[in-house]
Amino acid sequence: MAAHRLKVAILISGRGSNLQALIDQFGPAAASSPIEIVLVLSNRPEAFGLTRAGRAGIATKTVDHKAFPDRASFDAAMDREIRAAGAELVVLAGFLRLLTDGFIAGWHDRLVNIHPALLPAFKGLHTHARALEAGVRFHGCTVHFVRPEMDTGPIVAQAVVPVRPEDDENSLGLRVLAAEHRLFPLALRLIAEGKVTVEGERAIVRDAAFAGGILFNPLGA
Ligand code: GAR
């Protein structure tokens, strides 16, 4: 009998480059995958990510937030679609609407987000510009379970990139995005393989390799 594959719904709002990284690893063309992407759902009908999913042969739905009188009814409509698709885990891959506490509670420890900063630093928007403004020497991205307070929740995995003196928002953002494309599949694979549990408000990862050593930036003479 085939091993159980975790059924995942992916929520997007835009270009979907992270979605593409997940399709490349877990989509129908992947040789073997612990994940089945059962739905890609967008709140914006023109999101390019819908085209990416369609090309890969993955089911898509649009739930346009503009068609709903309030956030609760919009979230309820999304929730219905996600459950109808049989999803066991919901993945936010550049989904740029705030979710209601009710929706989040309905997917407790089964709702994952990627954020373009090393949480808990730089929650919210414009993370790359704010990292440059703060003068930090390292920046990066975080995959975490979602809690009602924005950009909080148990951290599954993080990737770090150096900030270089010549960086602008664009160059730093591209470096972080490249890290996101590697981190997100890695974190979802760990979850799908049952290696991640939430204890208190911390995520514990078993049977994974962890980085060692110290990173310096600048490197010194
Ligand atoms: C990604 O950088 C993701 O981390 C960010 O939106 C971008 C979506 O790009 N998400 C957030 O800022 C969530 N607060 P993509 O559509 O190409 O994956």
Side-chain angles (χ1 to χ4, degrees):
M1 203 176 80
H4 175 76
R5 300 165 80 208
L6 187 70
K7 293 185 167 60
V8 169
I10 302 176
L11 274 50
I12 59 164
S13 295
R15 69 187 162 182
S17 73
N18 275 288
L19 167 67
Q20 188 65 56
L22 298 178
I23 290 173
D24 292 346
Q25 287 243 356
F26 305 126
S32 80
S33 163
I35 283 174
E36 182 188 355
I37 305 171
V38 293
L39 177 67
V40 170
L41 188 155
S42 173
N43 65 302
R44 292 176 59 225
E46 70 278 17
F48 183 63
L50 290 171
T51 304
R52 296 181 191 268
R55 278 182 192 155
I58 297 168
T60 61
K61 279 266 155 56
T62 298
V63 180
D64 189 343
H65 61 277
K66 294 198 204 85
F68 295 86
D70 52 33
R71 284 169 52 203
S73 56
F74 166 62
D75 281 10
M78 285 200 302
D79 195 71
R80 277 195 296 278
E81 295 292 353
I82 294 165
R83 290 183 195 278
E88 301 163 289
L89 181 79
V90 179
V91 170
L92 307 179
F95 181 75
L96 302 179
R97 309 277 316 162
L98 286 178
L99 294 165
T100 53
D101 291 4
F103 180 95
I104 292 170
W107 292 95
H108 190 76
D109 293 345
R110 295 185 302 147
L111 175 60
V112 176
N113 180 46
I114 189 157
H115 181 73
L118 291 171
L119 292 173
F122 308 120
K123 296 172 182 172
L125 298 174
H126 310 300
T127 55
H128 311 312
R130 287 160 56 216
L132 290 170
E133 174 72 22
V136 294
R137 297 304 196 250
F138 290 104
H139 185 40
C141 49
T142 303
V143 175
H144 65 99
F145 289 106
V146 174
R147 294 291 184 261
E149 199 185 322
M150 188 183 62
D151 298 328
T152 64
I155 290 170
V156 177
Q158 294 184 307
V160 173
V161 303
V163 181
R164 298 180 58 88
E166 66 273 22
D167 272 332
D168 58 17
E169 190 177 353
N170 184 53
S171 64
L172 182 57
L174 286 173
R175 196 173 305 126
V176 172
L177 192 66
E180 292 184 46
H181 295 164
R182 294 172 59 189
L183 183 73
F184 216 179
L186 182 157
L188 293 185
R189 184 177 294 276
L190 290 170
I191 292 170
E193 290 173 349
K195 294 179 176 170
V196 183
T197 51
V198 180
E199 295 176 17
E201 280 306 292
R202 296 202 316 159
I204 311 295
V205 181
R206 286 185 295 106
D207 301 334
F210 286 88
I214 305 174
L215 298 175
F216 295 88
N217 194 30
L219 295 172

